[in-house]
Amino acid sequence: MREFNYLNPASITETLEFLHTYGEKAKVLAGGTDLLIELRKDEGPAGLEVVLNIAHFSELQYIKADDEWIRIGSGTTHAQLATSELLLENIRALAHAARTVGSPQIRNRGTVGGNILNASPAADTVPVLVALDAVLTFKSLTGEREVPITDIYVKPYKTNVRPDELLTEVAFKRLSPTATSAFIKLGRRNALAISRMNVAVILDTDANGNISELRIAAGSTTPKPGRTRTAEAVLIGQQPTEELINEAAKKVSEEMIAITGYRWSTEYKEPVIEALVRRAICKALEVRP
Amino acid sequence: MKKTMLNLTVNDKKYTVEVNPNQRLVDFLRDELNLTGTKEGCGVGECGACTVIMNGRIVNSCLVLAAQAEGAVITTIEGVKGSEGELHPIQQAFIEKGAVQCGYCTPGMVLSTKALLDKNPAPNVEEIKEGISGNLCRCTGYQQIIEAVQEAAKRLK
């Protein structure tokens, strides 16, 4: 285990002061389910001096809604997301995704902020948040900024977040009352599994049953997460026929290969991501009110 | 490294101990408090052998820094038996249903079971499986463990 000093800031402001002072020499510690593993491997930032504990900040643990937005504190645990009535009613895919993370023990500690900032391509809440066009709020001594979630990702495990910034909130616009969502995770086992691939789908239909809204975001398929708009375009304004669903699914695998090229895993991932997308779209269609 | 003072309650006993900043809760429990019932199986949160109950919820103690347990109320496997030393109904059920083979996963399994039944006194099989999904067992194949949890739920009614 690396050596470091431990600071337990009494407030968010004190946390920001420490981040300002220590910058790259500090690491923020919330649930610790990623960071502690990193620290044991002697990895992590060179010149790490202090670990800043923020796990005790109840002011970062909230899930709330107003007329337009749903706002989630960065310190909210996956267990809290998984059992949130608000999320289950409004965007159940996010609660479901959180429920698939690790294990009950991991979910009791791991946070949505950590899931976002760890920047694993296999993160489970991220595809849903990407599909939601979620916005992140970062605080620092110099102020506050809001940024679309997809803007922070540089490459796997790397973000462009400044060392003096603290992620405080992730927020997204509420969906239409008739919109539905689905999340499917493919892992090597039913629990304690990292996603081999996953996909989030949000959709809405009009009075005629045509797709009026469709958002598709796959995980563990590309270096940076994003919505597959070419796939979405196939179904917008159309009846969700088997043919069109297949076509949309194919667009996701094509997009993946266009970005990553033909890799060692593509032979497996190409047909499987198509199947996951088909299943997620069908799942979202099934649960329509 | 600058040591930090830790105040916490473990199995109903209060402790004030100086800890190194980089000491994990699992090491603190085993090495400082000699509570060796909590095991380390993987050190990366993937097996659950290090499970303890912290502030009412199960956590992997290999992923919690001891210092983060400031003010926490912790139950380890040693804290499960009764005040006269009698086995908890969960422990009895585990023994009677053959859910203990090598025993290495058992402390974690018992604590996850306790946390499950404290919240959900009558879980169905799917709920039991989810409740213990963070605890790996290499010996039993889980069937006896699931039956033990069902038996414990009956006895605790």
Side-chain angles (χ1 to χ4, degrees):
Chain A
M1 176 72 94
R2 289 178 68 113
E3 293 198 350
F4 46 82
N5 278 317
Y6 177 88
L7 291 173
N8 199 44
S11 65
I12 304 286
T13 308
E14 206 186 346
T15 311
L16 300 181
E17 283 162 8
F18 283 137
L19 284 174
H20 177 77
T21 305
Y22 287 98
E24 301 229 351
K25 300 194 192 125
K27 264 293 195 182
V28 167
L29 171 65
T33 55
D34 286 318
L35 182 60
L36 252 74
I37 298 172
E38 215 181 302
L39 295 175
R40 284 196 78 215
K41 281 194 234 163
D42 293 330
E43 273 161 32
L48 172 69
E49 275 183 28
V50 295
V51 157
L52 301 178
N53 179 44
I54 64 163
H56 53 302
F57 287 142
S58 52
E59 59 264 54
L60 289 179
Q61 295 186 19
Y62 57 85
I63 304 168
K64 56 189 184 198
D66 59 40
D67 284 337
E68 238 199 309
W69 292 82
I70 292 179
R71 301 182 179 281
I72 302 175
S74 59
T76 308
T77 66
H78 296 297
Q80 289 167 329
L81 294 177
T83 53
S84 159
E85 288 296 335
L86 203 163
L87 291 183
L88 286 164
E89 264 185 52
N90 288 278
I91 173 65
R92 61 168 56 179
L94 185 54
H96 288 172
R99 195 169 168 186
T100 67
V101 173
S103 64
Q105 292 90 324
I106 300 268
R107 294 194 287 275
N108 282 332
R109 294 291 291 175
T111 64
V112 65
N115 203 219
I116 294 168
L117 294 177
N118 186 50
S120 164
D124 291 311
T125 64
V126 171
V128 187
L129 295 170
V130 164
L132 286 164
D133 294 331
V135 172
L136 307 179
T137 301
F138 289 93
K139 284 203 169 125
S140 67
L141 282 189
T142 51
E144 202 173 292
R145 69 179 182 116
E146 286 177 14
V147 58
I149 186 171
T150 42
D151 278 11
I152 68 164
Y153 294 108
V154 174
K155 60 179 191 177
Y157 303 101
K158 191 155 171 46
T159 68
N160 55 28
V161 176
R162 289 192 332 248
D164 67 323
E165 288 181 305
L166 180 71
L167 175 65
T168 55
E169 184 179 273
V170 52
F172 46 88
K173 282 219 178 116
R174 297 182 76 144
L175 302 172
S176 99
T178 51
T180 57
S181 61
F183 175 80
I184 297 186
K185 169 174 177 163
L186 181 74
R188 289 194 164 98
R189 49 189 178 192
N190 290 327
L192 278 171
I194 303 282
S195 276
R196 190 78 185 86
M197 281 187 289
N198 56 30
V199 63
V201 165
I202 295 171
L203 66 81
D204 201 3
T205 51
D206 62 24
N208 301 318
N210 292 330
I211 301 278
S212 55
E213 167 133 56
L214 179 60
R215 311 185 204 182
I216 302 174
S220 285
T221 52
T222 52
K224 299 193 283 186
R227 283 169 59 176
T228 312
R229 291 172 196 267
T230 50
E232 297 168 1
V234 167
L235 277 161
I236 297 278
Q238 308 286 345
Q239 286 286 316
T241 61
E242 193 183 323
E243 216 188 316
L244 286 179
I245 292 175
N246 290 347
E247 203 183 310
K250 194 95 194 67
K251 287 281 181 212
V252 175
S253 68
E254 281 170 17
E255 224 2 68
M256 172 182 77
I257 294 170
I259 293 171
T260 67
Y262 218 84
R263 289 160 54 84
W264 63 271
S265 55
T266 308
E267 193 178 346
Y268 170 76
K269 287 195 169 183
E270 186 180 1
V272 176
I273 192 61
E274 288 169 18
L276 294 179
V277 170
R278 284 196 302 271
R279 288 184 194 184
I281 294 174
C282 291
K283 199 169 159 194
L285 286 168
E286 267 161 37
V287 295
R288 268 176 305 179
Chain B
M1 281 190 299
K2 202 162 153 252
K3 285 200 194 245
T4 180
M5 198 59 93
L6 171 61
N7 304 283
L8 77 175
T9 305
V10 182
N11 301 332
D12 293 324
K13 252 178 95 173
K14 282 188 154 58
Y15 295 90
T16 299
V17 186
E18 255 193 331
V19 295
N20 270 328
N22 64 355
Q23 187 172 45
R24 303 168 306 168
L25 182 59
V26 61
D27 303 315
F28 172 78
L29 294 170
R30 290 179 55 84
D31 301 338
E32 297 298 326
L33 302 189
N34 281 317
L35 295 171
T36 54
T38 306
K39 311 297 183 194
E40 179 167 3
C42 71
V44 292
E46 279 190 35
C47 77
C50 69
T51 301
V52 299
I53 298 178
M54 181 164 150
N55 297 331
R57 299 188 183 97
I58 47 171
V59 300
N60 294 123
S61 58
C62 72
L63 295 180
V64 179
L65 286 181
Q68 287 187 295
E70 175 63 28
V73 173
I74 296 187
T75 306
T76 69
I77 187 63
E78 290 89 349
V80 170
K81 63 182 185 289
S83 47
E84 315 285 307
E86 68 276 23
L87 290 179
H88 191 282
I90 295 173
Q91 291 171 311
Q92 283 168 356
F94 265 64
I95 292 169
E96 282 167 39
K97 289 295 178 180
V100 183
Q101 287 185 212
C102 81
Y104 206 74
C105 78
T106 308
M109 281 288 184
V110 168
L111 289 167
S112 292
T113 301
K114 181 167 195 312
L116 169 69
L117 296 179
D118 283 348
K119 272 215 170 72
N120 180 359
N124 60 32
V125 171
E126 280 314 305
E127 288 165 335
I128 293 174
K129 286 184 182 179
E130 189 170 11
I132 61 171
S133 61
N135 296 85
L136 299 186
C137 173
R138 300 290 281 131
C139 296
T140 64
Y142 302 99
Q143 190 52 43
Q144 303 94 307
I145 293 174
I146 293 169
E147 287 169 17
V149 176
Q150 291 171 317
E151 179 63 27
K154 271 201 217 121
R155 294 192 190 190
L156 286 167
K157 274 219 186 89

